[in-house]
Amino acid sequence: MKLFLFDLESTGTDVKKHGIHQISGRVIINGEVKENFDFKVRPKDGAEYDPVALQVGNVTKEQLEAYPSMREVFPKLKAMLDKYVNKFDKLDKFFLVGYNNAHFDNQFFRQFFLDCGEKYFGSYFWSNSCDCMVLATPFLMDKRKEMVDFKQATVAKALGVEVEADKLHDASYDIVLCHAIYDKVCGKY
């Protein structure tokens, strides 16, 4: 089984208007972490910058403009994927795993591929993904009414995972929480 645990940070919430500025995650093959990655990337040309998103991500527009371009980052990401998946084999793909990824991250990630001129997203990833927010729901149904929200940090704490609040909304840390939640609700792989 091939898992692609990932999280991304963006300049806003609209996949057409905003762009990705960080993609982090882990490649897990048959239960073994094969690779960790953290790509900082300058958002796509013409991307709008929502001040709230920048504040949440603790970044400035100037910082993002200094990141490597998509043309520099995408080949590195694609080379990593190609190490683990034969995109010409219909039965060899990753399951995308994230937190609230079905609603948010998957769409941004797919758009990132398109913005980079790669239209074969589906050659690397199964269309059905694992959303840890949804997977955690049955485990926390009895506690849900006591929880202030169902954000990743809140869910992690409710499942007994230690959370370092000052590191939240950095994709490289958020993926650590996502992985811990996945292990709690799905067992180890």
Side-chain angles (χ1 to χ4, degrees), residues 57-95:
N58 197 27
V59 292
T60 66
K61 183 176 179 180
E62 293 73 28
Q63 287 173 305
L64 302 185
E65 296 291 328
Y67 288 168
S69 72
M70 291 169 40
R71 282 183 167 63
E72 295 172 72
V73 172
F74 188 72
K76 294 174 185 174
L77 173 66
K78 193 169 176 305
M80 181 184 65
L81 295 173
D82 287 335
K83 281 196 298 191
Y84 303 105
V85 167
N86 175 358
K87 72 178 186 176
F88 301 106
D89 180 348
K90 292 181 181 181
L91 303 178
D92 187 19
K93 299 182 185 198
F94 284 110
F95 283 100

Side-chain angles (χ1 to χ4, degrees), residues 4 9 21 42 59 87 89 104 142 162-163 181 186:
F4 189 86
E9 299 299 327
H21 64 81
R42 186 178 332 126
V59 292
K87 72 178 186 176
D89 180 348
F104 186 81
D142 292 342
E162 185 179 330
V163 175
I181 291 168
C186 291

Side-chain angles (χ1 to χ4, degrees), residues 7 97-107 130-134 150 152 178:
D7 187 59
V97 179
Y99 194 89
N100 197 26
N101 62 310
H103 174 72
F104 186 81
D105 299 70
N106 292 2
Q107 287 78 9
C130 299
D131 188 330
C132 291
M133 182 174 78
V134 175
F150 215 69
Q152 183 169 245
C178 180

Side-chain angles (χ1 to χ4, degrees), residues 7-9 99 152 167-179:
D7 187 59
L8 55 82
E9 299 299 327
Y99 194 89
Q152 183 169 245
K167 293 184 177 181
L168 293 171
H169 301 293
D170 178 299
S172 63
Y173 179 70
D174 288 351
I175 199 62
V176 171
L177 292 182
C178 180
H179 193 175

Side-chain angles (χ1 to χ4, degrees), residues 116-181:
C116 292
E118 174 63 67
K119 53 187 173 180
Y120 298 107
F121 183 85
S123 294
Y124 291 101
F125 306 104
W126 296 107
S127 60
N128 53 317
S129 64
C130 299
D131 188 330
C132 291
M133 182 174 78
V134 175
L135 295 171
T137 300
F139 288 82
L140 297 172
M141 288 173 124
D142 292 342
K143 294 181 181 182
R144 180 61 180 104
K145 64 185 173 202
E146 300 159 13
M147 298 169 69
V148 65
D149 56 38
F150 215 69
K151 293 180 180 177
Q152 183 169 245
T154 307
V155 168
K157 287 178 189 175
L159 291 170
V161 175
E162 185 179 330
V163 175
E164 297 179 52
D166 60 323
K167 293 184 177 181
L168 293 171
H169 301 293
D170 178 299
S172 63
Y173 179 70
D174 288 351
I175 199 62
V176 171
L177 292 182
C178 180
H179 193 175
I181 291 168

